[in-house]
Amino acid sequence: METSLLTREQLLDRLAALHRASLELVSDISIDSLIERIAHLAREQVGARYAAVGILDEEGRLARFIPVGMSPEEIARMAHPPRGHGLIGALMHGSESIRIAHIAEDSRSAGFPPHHPPMDSFLGVPIRHADQNLGQIYLTDKMDAPEFTADDQAVIEMLAAYAGAALANARLLQKITQREAELTRRNENLALLNEMASTLATSSDVRQILDKALEQLMEYLDLKVGEIYLREDDSAYLNLCIHQGNTLPRLWLSTSFRLGEGIVGKTALAQSPQLIDLTSLQNIEERDAFTPELLESDIRYLACFPLQGRSGTLGVLCAGINHVLSFDELEMQFLSAISFWLSTALENTHLSLQQRRLAVLEERERIGMDLHDGIIQDIYAVGLTLEHARLLMNDDPEAAKQRIDQAISDLNNTIRDIRAYILDLRPRKLHEENLMDGLRRLVAEFRANTQVEIQLQAIPNENINLPQSAALALFHICQEALANIAKHAHARHVSVTLWTSNQRTLLEINDDGMGFDVSKTRQVIGHGLANMQTRAHQAGGEIEISSEPGKGTTILVWVPNR
């Protein structure tokens, strides 16, 4: 039987006290302490022996349940907290208050678990805010009456309204705080990434890059051990390159893993991160792969990340922590970002090494062309001069002497060029003369050392303004062509013609010699034709070689003026 209602004065006093207490709820920003205060306040307002507040998660499941009125020993003797069955479940899934005199007589009751104190009367009120069910207030066993009254229900419903606003504010503040903390962590992550980027950009030493990056990463994430395994070129093995962590010699017994072998090899082959809980290893094979020192240490979790480049897997990054909780999502994302940066740094370093190797090969090729087109041709010209001097010895000793003097002078010039190669690996051709002066010198040497008639013509004038590299290319091509004519053509007439337009400069060397099959002769006369083509292309131009057996040869080359 329901007790008599409160007088108007008593109800107003209770509501005033409830209003004062509820104002304090809105100022509480801690959800756990707020829930407990709601439970105590509800218990005091209606004189209940027991009270509890249940809070739902975003999926509507019972996330927290805080009881008051029971001793810690009574709570500890119960097998488990409420799971949302019986009257609690009915209140969770409904929107109306529930007030009953005897719990055991209600059809919705599911009874109590073992060691639960006996309870009789019941009042349950949902905590709602903006049409959302946030939780419930549970009250049992009114101490000064057989059951809860309608006035009790009205008071607790008002309290639930205050509690709903307070819980909504506390949750909103908690989300803002969590978001602010997450943004702070992300900013710290970006700062570390920026610092690591500076490290990666200022060094080309792979080991120095990895060592510094791992050191920064371990300090920032409070890692206890870290290792990096690298794959050498296209090898099927990953070898231990970097280990950091003073408490452990290394993570695994082996320091080398084949792709697909062990956790390291599987991470590299699958190209996806792996997280290992060392406290719950079930696979004996996996346990046997770790060092005894690791299994006996306080390291609880290991994370392995592939270092993935455009050409495939470059290595694996391993990190270990002794935290009670595993790596969270943000830490895993950060480690993935670090792995990507390290992969990029490794790939850039490899590309830089390949570029340097290619530069060495290109420089060797250039030196070879310069030696062939410059010094070797000069020595060959000296040989022609000496051969001519030998022929003149008996008939004209004075002319022979002049030829020998000229050979000596040419050899001195060649020695000068060799010294230039030794000092700066560049021939001193055309440094003190323009292209036409250089061509005149080549023609004069050719005329003096052979019995072949040669003509040089410039159209329309000699005022040709070319980049030094283009002029040098034309000079060497003419030098090579005249040397080939002297050695192979058996020609009687040679013409060298140079002319220019607004866009390009052209050089043509024509002879009436025996000619040759261009496709077959490339493999016979050494580097000459290939060198001419290379020099023309490097100067931004093109070369065309026309020849047939018995019909002479024409070489036409052009280079841009700019």
Side-chain angles (χ1 to χ4, degrees), residues 227-231 238-242 250-252 254-257 264 307 314-318:
E227 289 185 347
I228 295 178
Y229 284 77
L230 289 185
R231 182 182 178 189
L238 297 110
N239 301 316
L240 179 62
C241 176
I242 302 289
R250 60 179 184 269
L251 294 174
W252 281 273
S254 176
T255 59
S256 180
F257 294 91
V264 173
L307 304 180
L314 305 176
V316 173
L317 167 66
C318 306

Side-chain angles (χ1 to χ4, degrees), residues 250-305:
R250 60 179 184 269
L251 294 174
W252 281 273
L253 290 173
S254 176
T255 59
S256 180
F257 294 91
R258 181 184 286 272
L259 287 174
E261 177 189 6
I263 295 174
V264 173
K266 290 176 182 176
T267 301
L269 188 63
Q271 300 179 5
S272 60
Q274 294 200 43
L275 184 62
I276 304 102
D277 184 354
L278 296 175
T279 63
S280 60
L281 284 176
Q282 302 296 327
N283 191 324
I284 300 299
E285 182 181 350
E286 288 184 353
R287 288 185 60 87
D288 290 344
F290 293 109
T291 61
E293 293 86 352
L294 175 64
L295 297 176
E296 294 169 4
S297 71
D298 60 350
I299 304 297
R300 299 175 63 90
Y301 298 96
L302 279 180
C304 296
F305 293 84

Side-chain angles (χ1 to χ4, degrees), residues 327-386:
F327 294 95
D328 61 26
E329 182 179 357
L330 194 59
E331 288 172 332
M332 293 293 284
Q333 290 177 355
F334 180 64
L335 284 167
S336 293
I338 294 294
S339 301
F340 173 78
W341 278 74
L342 290 177
S343 303
T344 302
L346 287 172
E347 204 156 43
N348 288 342
T349 302
H350 291 162
L351 290 175
S352 177
L353 289 174
Q354 291 178 358
Q355 186 177 18
R356 287 202 293 270
R357 290 170 184 165
L358 180 60
V360 170
L361 292 176
E362 289 177 345
E363 186 66 6
R364 286 179 179 174
E365 183 179 0
R366 184 193 66 77
I367 293 172
M369 285 195 304
D370 286 345
L371 287 172
H372 179 270
D373 295 347
I375 293 175
I376 293 177
Q377 297 298 344
D378 288 346
I379 293 174
Y380 177 75
V382 171
L384 291 177
T385 302
L386 291 175

Side-chain angles (χ1 to χ4, degrees), residues 58-367:
E58 294 182 355
E59 284 75 31
R61 296 170 299 195
L62 192 62
R64 290 187 179 92
F65 189 86
I66 296 181
V68 296
M70 289 187 288
S71 67
E73 291 76 16
E74 288 178 308
I75 295 174
R77 281 197 297 269
M78 289 186 290
H80 55 78
R83 295 174 175 172
H85 302 305
L87 288 169
I88 292 178
L91 197 60
M92 285 171 54
H93 299 101
S95 59
E96 301 295 332
S97 300
I98 298 177
R99 180 165 56 91
I100 56 179
H102 304 288
I103 294 175
E105 296 178 1
D106 193 282
S107 60
R108 293 167 293 183
S109 174
F112 300 106
H115 308 295
H116 195 286
M119 297 178 179
D120 190 24
S121 58
F122 177 84
L123 173 60
V125 175
I127 301 175
R128 301 182 66 82
H129 180 76
D131 295 330
Q132 182 181 5
N133 194 353
L134 303 180
Q136 299 81 30
I137 299 174
Y138 308 102
L139 298 158
T140 58
D141 288 0
K142 186 172 176 67
M143 291 187 291
D144 58 355
E147 61 180 295
F148 296 99
T149 67
D151 290 333
D152 292 331
Q153 180 176 332
V155 169
I156 299 303
E157 286 176 347
M158 184 174 291
L159 173 63
Y162 280 105
L167 277 172
N169 290 339
R171 280 185 170 181
L172 179 60
L173 182 60
Q174 185 183 58
K175 288 182 178 180
I176 293 174
T177 303
Q178 290 175 346
R179 181 61 177 168
E180 183 178 0
E182 182 178 336
L183 288 174
T184 300
R185 286 184 62 191
R186 289 187 182 276
N187 287 334
E188 292 172 351
N189 290 352
L190 290 174
L192 179 59
L193 284 174
N194 184 57
E195 184 179 353
M196 293 183 69
S198 300
T199 301
L200 303 181
T202 55
S203 175
S204 59
D205 186 323
V206 171
R207 186 172 182 86
Q208 182 182 5
I209 290 173
L210 297 179
D211 204 36
K212 182 63 175 178
L214 187 57
E215 179 184 345
Q216 292 172 325
L217 184 62
M218 289 184 64
E219 180 180 356
Y220 178 70
L221 291 181
D222 192 25
L223 303 178
K224 297 304 177 184
V225 63
E227 289 185 347
I228 295 178
Y229 284 77
L230 289 185
R231 182 182 178 189
E232 297 295 334
D233 298 326
D234 294 329
S235 170
Y237 286 89
L238 297 110
N239 301 316
L240 179 62
C241 176
I242 302 289
H243 170 88
Q244 290 187 15
N246 297 329
T247 59
L248 295 172
R250 60 179 184 269
L251 294 174
W252 281 273
L253 290 173
S254 176
T255 59
S256 180
F257 294 91
R258 181 184 286 272
L259 287 174
E261 177 189 6
I263 295 174
V264 173
K266 290 176 182 176
T267 301
L269 188 63
Q271 300 179 5
S272 60
Q274 294 200 43
L275 184 62
I276 304 102
D277 184 354
L278 296 175
T279 63
S280 60
L281 284 176
Q282 302 296 327
N283 191 324
I284 300 299
E285 182 181 350
E286 288 184 353
R287 288 185 60 87
D288 290 344
F290 293 109
T291 61
E293 293 86 352
L294 175 64
L295 297 176
E296 294 169 4
S297 71
D298 60 350
I299 304 297
R300 299 175 63 90
Y301 298 96
L302 279 180
C304 296
F305 293 84
L307 304 180
Q308 191 67 24
R310 287 169 293 182
S311 58
T313 300
L314 305 176
V316 173
L317 167 66
C318 306
I321 56 173
N322 60 354
H323 306 166
V324 175
L325 298 178
S326 179
F327 294 95
D328 61 26
E329 182 179 357
L330 194 59
E331 288 172 332
M332 293 293 284
Q333 290 177 355
F334 180 64
L335 284 167
S336 293
I338 294 294
S339 301
F340 173 78
W341 278 74
L342 290 177
S343 303
T344 302
L346 287 172
E347 204 156 43
N348 288 342
T349 302
H350 291 162
L351 290 175
S352 177
L353 289 174
Q354 291 178 358
Q355 186 177 18
R356 287 202 293 270
R357 290 170 184 165
L358 180 60
V360 170
L361 292 176
E362 289 177 345
E363 186 66 6
R364 286 179 179 174
E365 183 179 0
R366 184 193 66 77
I367 293 172

